[in-house]
Amino acid sequence: MIKFFRKIRYNLMEKNKTRKYLKYAVGEIVLVVIGILIALSINNWNEEIKERKIEEQRYQNILNDIQDDEATINEMITILRLKQDLHYYLYELSQNDGRQDSAFSIGQVNRAPELDLVSGKNQLTELEFIKDLRIRREVNDYIKYENAALSDAVRLELIIKNDVRDYFKNINASKIDSYFSPQRYDNSDIDRNLIDMDTVSKHFNDTDFKGLLMKLRMSTSNALNTLGALKEKNKILQTILRDKQ
């Protein structure tokens, strides 16, 4: 093709047809420019497809993370509600409004659940690359709700690890034989019946015991409230992301 155009150009020059040559040269330039523009358009189109796929994958990654979060949130809500039942059980016993129930393991009050959410860790650095402003705003809001839930969960965890465990230690309610009753390498039941209920019951009227129950009640409720709000935000964000697919 290049040889063909070159031959035409030489023929026009040899015949001294300057005007026709100029017209031809301009036409050739126009064709080259059009070719370049078409090539650029194709390249831009390919780049847009690549960026769109990257963006879609980014949305899918967010969706995967918040679906993982949803399972973690539901599990944590279940755990905290069981803890709240235990706190109420202890309160009712302390008020002489209840009787000991074998369904409740007092040792569970010593267990500190940890909330492990992934979206904030994975998506915070990706926010600036999200082109859809609505999704960027919703993800940012979700991370704020997540941070609030994590803060309340950590606060409860520290109360249990520090205040609760220290309290039962100080009143000598920990049953050392329960720690060593399983076989040496059998750890399956090591967290059961570690607290002597008879010893605890002697301290029901103590100010420290009442204060501890109040602190557990408030911190557990706060954690459940922020988790509930996060759960609703999770549903909304999942709906938005699915609509983008």
Side-chain angles (χ1 to χ4, degrees):
M1 183 64 71
I2 295 175
K3 291 182 178 180
F4 173 75
F5 286 119
R6 187 179 297 165
K7 185 176 180 181
I8 294 175
R9 189 161 58 246
Y10 285 159
N11 288 337
L12 292 173
M13 291 177 64
E14 289 176 358
K15 295 178 180 178
N16 200 24
K17 296 180 179 180
T18 305
R19 183 175 296 178
K20 288 185 178 182
Y21 174 77
L22 290 174
K23 288 182 180 180
Y24 169 79
V26 170
E28 189 173 336
I29 292 172
V30 169
L31 287 174
V32 171
V33 171
I34 291 173
I36 293 173
L37 292 175
I38 291 173
L40 288 174
S41 297
I42 293 174
N43 184 64
N44 290 337
W45 182 64
N46 288 332
E47 288 298 320
E48 287 177 4
I49 291 176
K50 289 180 183 178
E51 290 180 5
R52 194 179 305 119
K53 287 182 178 179
I54 292 173
E55 188 82 353
E56 290 172 355
Q57 185 59 54
R58 187 171 286 124
Y59 295 152
Q60 185 61 50
N61 291 341
I62 298 172
L63 182 59
N64 292 341
D65 282 348
I66 64 173
Q67 285 175 337
D68 289 342
D69 279 352
E70 182 184 22
T72 303
I73 292 166
N74 288 332
E75 181 181 1
M76 188 66 165
I77 287 175
T78 299
I79 292 172
L80 293 185
R81 284 177 176 169
L82 290 174
K83 279 195 166 294
Q84 201 165 57
D85 287 341
L86 176 58
H87 302 156
Y88 266 89
Y89 166 66
L90 289 173
Y91 171 75
E92 289 166 357
L93 281 180
S94 69
Q95 300 300 305
N96 296 317
D97 292 334
R99 60 180 181 176
Q100 291 194 29
D101 187 345
S102 60
F104 288 94
S105 173
I106 183 65
Q108 294 293 328
V109 76
N110 259 346
R111 298 197 68 181
E114 297 181 6
L115 181 62
D116 185 19
L117 300 173
V118 298
S119 294
K121 292 182 287 187
N122 293 345
Q123 302 305 329
L124 188 58
T125 55
E126 297 292 324
L127 272 178
E128 60 180 303
F129 301 108
I130 298 176
K131 294 181 179 180
D132 189 303
L133 295 180
R134 184 192 179 195
I135 292 181
R136 185 190 301 178
R137 183 176 62 251
E138 290 293 338
V139 171
N140 190 51
D141 286 345
Y142 179 83
I143 291 174
K144 290 178 181 178
Y145 276 74
E146 183 179 286
N147 289 335
L150 286 168
S151 295
D152 282 341
V154 168
R155 192 173 295 112
L156 174 60
E157 180 186 347
L158 291 176
I159 288 172
I160 294 172
K161 287 183 175 179
N162 298 327
D163 299 7
V164 174
R165 292 177 182 175
D166 284 349
Y167 174 78
F168 287 121
K169 178 182 177 182
N170 291 335
I171 67 172
N172 295 316
S174 299
K175 296 193 296 185
I176 188 170
D177 57 323
S178 293
Y179 284 89
F180 293 94
S181 58
Q183 295 297 320
R184 186 180 299 268
Y185 302 111
D186 178 13
N187 304 311
S188 57
D189 292 330
I190 200 169
D191 60 344
R192 296 179 183 272
N193 302 318
L194 300 182
I195 305 299
D196 184 359
M197 194 65 201
D198 291 336
T199 301
V200 175
S201 63
K202 295 175 183 178
H203 296 269
F204 279 162
N205 293 321
D206 292 355
T207 302
D208 288 344
F209 177 79
K210 293 178 180 179
L212 190 63
L213 275 185
M214 288 176 60
K215 188 178 288 188
L216 284 171
R217 161 65 173 159
M218 292 175 63
S219 59
T220 305
S221 295
N222 288 338
L224 281 168
N225 286 335
T226 49
L227 279 171
L230 179 62
K231 184 176 179 178
E232 289 302 313
K233 200 68 177 176
N234 186 290
K235 289 180 180 178
I236 293 171
L237 186 53
Q238 283 197 51
T239 300
I240 293 172
L241 289 169
R242 288 195 182 99
D243 289 341
K244 292 291 292 183
Q245 294 179 337

